[in-house]
Each structure stands twice: as structure tokens, then as C-alpha cells.
Amino acid sequence: MDTVPPFINSSEDGDRIYGRGACDARGLSPSDSGGGEAAPVKPFVGLLFLVGEERDSIGAKAANQQPIARAS
């Protein structure tokens, strides 16, 4: 669920979840991580999942302090 102010309560009815962020891009993360499997050419691809993108970008700031991984 979305956690950015103004906070809006969420609810569920057993089959569905209702509320802001209930259908967010985070649901695509599993397909993103396996998306390159069928590609004919296997380029080096890295995925970076961050927090704080809607507030202070603390995840991006922390990631920028890390060395870049290189394919071997």
C-alpha cells in the first residue's frame, strides 16, 4: 500500500485489496526480474529496488554511495 501522505486507509474483502497503491508498479517486480530470460542476447542487466522515491530519495542516495557491480 502507498505510504505517502495524506494517508488513506486501506481495506480488503477476502478477494481484493482496496486503497491507494493497491495496484502499484511494485506488482511488476517479479516479472521485471525474470523478463530477460527469453531474450536471444543476454546483456548484463541490473535491477535496483529503492525506497523513499516519493519523499527524500534516501534509497537512491544510499545506492549512489555503493560501487557499481560489473558482469564477469
Side-chain angles (χ1 to χ4, degrees):
M1 302 309 291
D2 215 345
T3 57
V4 178
F7 298 106
I8 300 171
N9 289 332
S10 61
S11 63
E12 56 184 285
D13 67 6
D15 294 324
R16 296 179 185 204
I17 298 173
Y18 301 92
R20 189 173 74 181
C23 183
D24 207 326
R26 288 184 234 10
L28 299 175
S29 297
S31 63
D32 290 344
S33 63
E37 294 296 320
V41 176
K42 304 287 188 217
F44 175 72
V45 175
L47 299 176
L48 183 61
F49 297 94
L50 304 171
V51 297
E53 76 277 2
E54 294 173 339
R55 286 204 170 191
D56 56 7
S57 298
I58 192 69
K61 291 173 184 174
N64 283 334
Q65 300 301 314
Q66 303 301 315
I68 297 174
R70 302 285 181 202
S72 53

